[in-house]
Amino acid sequence: MSRPERSVLVVIAHGSRDPRHAATVHALVRRVRAQRPGLRVETGFLDFNVPSVQGVLESLAAEGVRDVVALPLLLTRAFHAKSDIPAVLREAPSRLRIRQAEVLGPSPLLTAALERRLYEAGLTPADKSRTGVVLASAGSTDPEAIAVIAEIAREWRHTGWCAVRPAFASASLPRTEDAVRELRALGCERVAVAPYVLAPGFLPDRIARGAAGADVLADVLGPAPEVARVLLDRYDEARMPSLSAIGA
């Protein structure tokens, strides 16, 4: 039997009116629990869904929990990671010792998850050299987040794909459909769209519509085992004593 870990992991998801979002988040959390049976994992949402992050933290404090790792279920460090989540954590009960973990990306494990989804959608490793890939993310007004997506695309290209182009569902350009057309113009024999998003919702649906001219559309990352592994890596990193805590 696994020994319980001292710190509770609180996964902080954005939330959505689309019920597929919460269902996917819960599926991912179940996989995290399966990979680390001794770890208590709770889920809180910033908006639209329950329980709220504040509600989860108050419940943990009432139980006598002392140590919490708050993990943003985000792929890039943009507004939510830099502003919204720290603000919520500052309002947590003072008895809690909270460490905010880093966002999930970038990570080679996430790139592996992207490839998993492309292969599940019908591609094979033998298709790489003749296939152009659109790395389609939700988009952001944060230059740091946009630069990270562009760098992931550049690095992924070096693993054997014909070409890889970033695209964004909102806030930034190009759009998915523009990147699909660009890859066609480059002469890629096939074009695939890889959504760099964690769960279904409004923006992933926009990505899917933009992929109408592509040959392959992969699923969202969702509860891929590689994503669960990244969550646990970020949890372990946040528990290192060199990182400062929020609260007493």
Side-chain angles (χ1 to χ4, degrees):
M1 184 174 180
S2 299
R3 182 180 177 183
E5 299 196 30
R6 184 182 174 199
S7 298
V8 175
L9 171 57
V10 176
V11 175
I12 301 178
H14 183 276
S16 171
R17 293 186 178 91
D18 189 323
R20 297 173 298 167
H21 174 90
T24 302
V25 170
H26 291 311
L28 175 58
V29 169
R30 286 194 296 272
R31 189 176 285 275
V32 171
R33 290 177 179 138
Q35 288 191 12
R36 187 77 65 87
L39 174 61
R40 180 176 176 181
V41 187
E42 301 292 342
T43 308
F45 296 90
L46 289 173
D47 206 353
F48 302 116
N49 303 104
V50 292
S52 68
V53 177
Q54 189 66 23
V56 169
L57 296 175
E58 289 174 357
S59 295
L60 290 174
E63 289 180 31
V65 169
R66 174 65 174 165
D67 293 305
V68 170
V69 171
L71 193 153
L73 198 59
L74 300 168
L75 294 172
T76 58
R77 267 183 56 78
F79 181 77
H80 292 304
K82 295 177 179 178
S83 180
D84 282 357
I85 291 174
V88 171
L89 297 181
R90 284 193 293 270
E91 297 300 317
S94 59
R95 68 167 287 113
L96 292 177
R97 183 172 182 264
I98 302 176
R99 288 184 172 92
Q100 181 177 332
E102 289 296 329
V103 297
L104 303 185
S107 167
L109 285 168
L110 294 178
T111 306
L114 288 166
E115 294 212 1
R116 170 191 290 275
R117 293 303 188 221
L118 286 170
Y119 296 151
E120 289 171 350
L123 293 179
T124 70
D127 295 320
K128 292 182 76 168
S129 63
R130 58 195 182 93
T131 302
V133 178
V134 178
L135 179 67
S137 75
S140 174
T141 56
D142 188 306
E144 178 186 351
I146 297 304
V148 166
I149 299 300
E151 181 60 24
I152 293 170
R154 281 192 293 269
E155 292 185 1
W156 200 15
R157 162 68 181 85
H158 295 316
T159 66
W161 297 101
C162 173
V164 180
R165 292 291 185 271
F168 307 94
S170 67
S172 308
L173 296 174
R175 295 286 184 257
T176 302
E177 53 269 33
D178 299 326
V180 169
R181 285 192 291 268
E182 181 184 353
L183 291 172
R184 293 282 188 210
L186 279 175
C188 296
E189 190 174 326
R190 303 184 74 185
V191 175
V193 175
Y196 190 58
V197 292
L198 288 166
F202 176 75
L203 293 178
D205 284 349
R206 181 179 287 177
I207 290 171
R209 290 193 297 271
D215 301 294
V216 173
L217 170 62
D219 200 357
V220 298
L221 294 172
E226 297 88 352
V227 179
R229 182 68 253 172
V230 176
L231 262 73
L232 290 170
D233 287 348
R234 297 294 182 254
Y235 167 80
D236 290 336
E237 292 162 4
R239 293 182 69 218
M240 293 174 63
S242 60
L243 295 183
S244 59
I246 298 172

